Amino acid sequence: MRSRVVVSLLFLVSMCCLGFSNVYANDIDALEIYAEKCALCHGEDGKGTSTGIDFGVKDFTDKEWQASRTDDEFVHSITHGNPDNDNYLPFGDMLSEEEIVAMVPHVRAFAH
Ligand code: HEC
């Protein structure tokens, strides 16, 4: 009986620690951000939705296109949008710099 209490206490304590460590580790969920803020145009599969394609998105699964763009260019475009394309909104106000940087490997992963 007593050991059961100890075990459940330990469980509670570890759940608490896990919760806190998530906050402190500043875990960025690129998957969730993508689903919420990017998939609308870029599609769950990275190829672009019909709306996105109308707006001029590129196919993220296209290896040649990926190779033609640097990580810095991605960060810059996600932050500032494209001044020549009104349909590409800047995300600099909506996402932190860390979140934007975290989106780059997620975008790259579509072409792997
Ligand atoms: C309203 C539609 C829309 C949404 C939402 C959107 N994008 Fe885009 N995105 C575009 C368009 C259009 C382009 C093509 C811009 C161009 O090259 O003119 C683009 C281009 C890009 C590029 C290529 C940039 C480059 O330098 O070639 C990346 C990377 C990208 N988007 C990532 C994201 C991420 C990450 C999100 C979510 C945080 C996102 N996009 C949300 C429309 C969108």
Side-chain angles (χ1 to χ4, degrees), residues 50-64:
S50 52
T51 313
I53 291 167
D54 278 349
F55 286 170
V57 297
K58 307 291 189 297
D59 180 353
F60 286 166
T61 66
D62 179 344
K63 286 192 167 75
E64 267 176 48

Side-chain angles (χ1 to χ4, degrees), residues 33 37-38 40-42 52 55-58 60 65 69 73-74 77-78 82 85 87-89 91 95 103 107:
I33 296 175
K37 300 205 160 62
C38 321
L40 177 74
C41 294
H42 291 287
F55 286 170
V57 297
K58 307 291 189 297
F60 286 166
W65 172 78
R69 309 294 295 159
E73 283 171 326
F74 277 1
S77 336
I78 300 169
N82 178 352
N85 183 344
N87 295 319
Y88 195 26
L89 305 173
F91 280 89
L95 298 172
M103 296 318 291
V107 170

Side-chain angles (χ1 to χ4, degrees), residues 30 71 74 99-110 112:
D71 288 358
F74 277 1
E99 286 173 324
I100 291 173
V101 168
M103 296 318 291
V104 174
H106 191 72
V107 170
R108 294 285 186 209
F110 285 111
H112 286 167

